DNA sequence: CCAGACGTTGTT
DNA sequence: GTCTGG
DNA sequence: CCAGACGTTGTT
DNA sequence: GTCTGG
């Protein structure tokens, strides 16, 4: 499952065009590649309200709309695709507030003796990866708002099963429009889109444990390598 | 009716 | 806000 | 997801 | 061991 994300498109405008949105000048200006995006950080997402589709930064970790205090609230970074349409925390968002995380990879960790071995997962053919997500517009009632999201999960495909027993739902690009359409309330059809993507879409390699410390934000996170033998 | 929970993953 | 449990 | 804290009283 | 913070 995605617990750390990568968003490092070579060309931001082309990356967003793949999801049917234009990169605003403001976004392009402040954009920096994210090699180690952790929970509670802002992730680059695409959403649609009415007929307007937009690229937006959403905080990873969904703050339920009824929470009084966002600081102490439980903020799930993942939601099971099998049940998200029914659970109180996600039901409304599943029907009306779906989004796509415009990613270029993520990390998984496999057990080691003393430290875990991180793996970097990338699209095999260079296309962006669109994780299916749900977002929420939290309002404190006293002027503070937070736009947050959670990533849906499903069974892994056989390639990812080597690394973990869950994976993020990566949408087929053919489903982007239907997934993002807020008027689409065909829950069965929506759930059908939340399946493990084909093995062929992904490739992965081990990386050093630099990435395990979320303060390390640089490109060295994705560099092939492994944890030192003494940790393995 | 009111009170209390509302989530996932991994690990044990 | 809404559902579940008691 | 991993890393890091996990506490109070009193004094500065 | 478990929770919080990032």
């Amino acid at each position: 499952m995605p617990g750390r994300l990568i968003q490092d498109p070579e060309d931001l405008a082309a990356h967003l065009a793949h999801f049917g949105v234009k990169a605003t000048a403001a976004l392009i200006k402040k954009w920096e590649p994210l090699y180690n995006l952790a929970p509670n950080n802002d992730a680059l997402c695409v959403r649609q309200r009415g007929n307007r589709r937009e690229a937006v930064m959403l905080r990873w970790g969904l703050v339920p709309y009824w929470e009084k205090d966002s600081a102490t609230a439980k903020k799930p970074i993942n939601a099971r695709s099998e049940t998200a349409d029914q659970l109180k925390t996600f039901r409304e968002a599943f029907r009306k507030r779906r989004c796509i995380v415009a990613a270029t990879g993520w990390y998984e960790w496999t057990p080691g003796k003393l430290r875990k071995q991180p793996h970097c997962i990338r699209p095999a053919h260079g296309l962006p990866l669109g994780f299916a997500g749900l977002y929420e517009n939290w309002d404190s009632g006293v002027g503070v708002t937070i736009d947050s999201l959670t990533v849906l999960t499903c069974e892994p495909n056989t390639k990812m099963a080597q690394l973990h027993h869950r994976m993020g739902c990566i949408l087929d690009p053919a489903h982007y429009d239907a997934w993002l359409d807020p008027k689409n309330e065909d829950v069965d059809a929506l759930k059908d889109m939340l399946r493990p993507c084909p093995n062929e879409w992904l490739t992965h390699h081990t990386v050093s444990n630099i990435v395990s410390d979320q303060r390390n934000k640089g490109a060295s996170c994705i560099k092939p390598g492994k944890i030192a033998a003494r940790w393995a």
Side-chain angles (χ1 to χ4, degrees):
Chain A
M1 53 158 275
R4 297 285 178 89
L5 297 173
I6 306 169
Q7 300 187 308
D8 70 333
E10 278 183 32
D11 179 338
L12 179 63
H15 184 63
L16 289 174
H18 177 257
F19 297 103
V21 275
K22 241 183 124 174
T24 63
L27 183 62
I28 291 172
K29 191 175 177 187
K30 74 173 184 196
W31 179 256
E32 287 183 22
L34 302 169
Y35 295 101
N36 192 3
L37 196 158
N40 211 37
N41 294 166
D42 289 342
L44 177 64
C45 300
V46 174
R47 71 179 170 192
Q48 186 172 319
R49 299 201 272 192
N51 292 320
R52 174 162 308 214
R53 195 176 294 189
E54 62 181 359
V56 62
M57 301 301 290
L58 300 174
R59 193 176 301 179
W60 190 13
L62 185 143
V63 183
Y65 58 91
W66 67 81
E67 288 287 357
K68 297 286 180 287
D69 179 2
S70 67
T72 58
K74 302 287 187 195
K75 298 178 277 289
I77 62 171
N78 295 117
R80 296 177 62 86
S81 60
E82 297 89 338
T83 53
D85 62 307
Q86 299 152 35
L87 298 178
K88 292 186 281 295
T89 303
F90 305 122
R91 196 181 126 88
E92 279 296 303
F94 192 95
R95 292 184 143 262
K96 299 184 168 112
R97 288 180 296 276
R98 294 176 299 276
C99 64
I100 296 176
V101 185
T104 52
W106 80 98
Y107 301 98
E108 297 284 358
W109 279 259
T110 53
K113 282 199 193 78
L114 247 47
R115 291 283 189 282
K116 293 179 177 180
Q117 172 63 61
H119 304 257
C120 173
I121 297 98
R122 292 290 229 171
H125 305 300
L127 288 174
L129 298 175
F131 283 108
L134 307 175
Y135 70 92
E136 201 59 79
N137 309 119
W138 180 82
D139 189 334
S140 67
V142 291
V144 181
T145 62
I146 298 175
D147 280 9
S148 61
L149 89 139
T150 193
V151 176
L152 291 158
T153 65
C154 58
E155 293 290 305
N157 59 33
T158 57
K159 184 177 279 187
M160 286 305 106
Q162 300 167 15
L163 303 181
H164 207 58
H165 69 101
R166 298 290 290 173
M167 72 180 284
C169 301
I170 294 167
L171 292 166
D172 184 328
H175 295 150
Y176 289 165
D177 290 350
W179 178 256
L180 290 174
D181 181 0
K183 293 189 297 294
N184 182 0
E185 295 201 5
D186 186 341
V187 170
D188 290 341
L190 289 164
K191 286 181 84 170
D192 256 4
M193 301 173 192
L194 305 175
R195 338 181 102 270
C197 73
N199 288 342
E200 294 70 31
W201 290 12
L202 303 171
T203 180
H204 59 90
H205 63 271
T206 58
V207 292
S208 84
N209 53 317
I210 285 174
V211 69
S212 294
D213 186 334
Q214 65 169 286
R215 290 170 297 187
N216 296 136
K217 295 297 194 186
S220 54
C221 290
I222 61 173
K223 193 179 154 197
K226 49 183 157 179
I227 56 167
R230 67 176 183 281
W231 305 126

